[in-house]
Amino acid sequence: MFEQMNEQFKTAMKPMTDLATLNMNTVQELAEKSNALYSSLLSESMSYFEKASQQKDLMALAETQKAYAESVQETMSEAAKSSYAVLTEAQQKAGEMMKGMSEDMTTKFTAAAKG
């Protein structure tokens, strides 16, 4: 009897555990992307300071600064697009899970009402 109740509880909780797993995986992926972004920006900054310190005139320094600013802008833009893609995919999967859960509950309620 206890075994049967335990199995029913596991079955009932599966959609919630699947959703929690999706959330955990999404947060982990976003954290990894954030870490990669931070590392990339740090590397770009170090490279910029090294190049800037070697410039002899103001125009060369301005060009170095312009290139750095464009690089940072591109890096941030790519990071935002990548994070948005991760969130969009997670949202779609969560929507599918919720739809499946809703359909499953409707089927069970309908069966219970008929039986």
Side-chain angles (χ1 to χ4, degrees):
M1 173 109 179
F2 179 73
E3 182 80 22
Q4 184 181 11
M5 287 177 57
N6 191 27
E7 283 303 314
Q8 287 177 342
F9 181 72
K10 284 181 183 178
T11 301
M13 292 305 295
K14 186 174 180 343
M16 289 298 119
T17 57
D18 289 347
L19 191 56
T21 300
L22 173 65
N23 285 337
M24 184 177 65
N25 291 341
T26 301
V27 168
Q28 181 177 356
E29 190 172 352
L30 289 173
E32 289 169 2
K33 289 187 179 301
S34 178
N35 188 35
L37 172 63
Y38 177 76
S39 295
S40 177
L41 290 174
L42 186 60
S43 177
E44 288 179 32
S45 294
M46 295 303 291
S47 177
Y48 164 72
F49 286 120
E50 183 180 332
K51 288 177 185 175
S53 68
Q54 296 171 356
Q55 301 306 317
K56 303 290 184 214
D57 63 45
L58 193 56
M59 289 305 292
L61 181 60
E63 284 298 317
T64 300
Q65 189 169 8
K66 179 183 175 193
Y68 170 69
E70 289 172 352
S71 175
V72 168
Q73 182 179 6
E74 183 178 330
T75 299
M76 294 296 288
S77 178
E78 288 302 315
K81 288 177 188 176
S82 178
S83 294
Y84 181 77
V86 168
L87 290 171
T88 300
E89 182 181 353
Q91 182 182 19
Q92 289 172 344
K93 286 180 181 177
E96 291 168 8
M97 286 179 182
M98 296 303 280
K99 182 180 178 186
M101 222 170 39
S102 175
E103 289 171 354
D104 186 45
M105 293 299 262
T106 301
T107 302
K108 286 180 180 177
F109 285 138
T110 303
K114 290 180 181 178

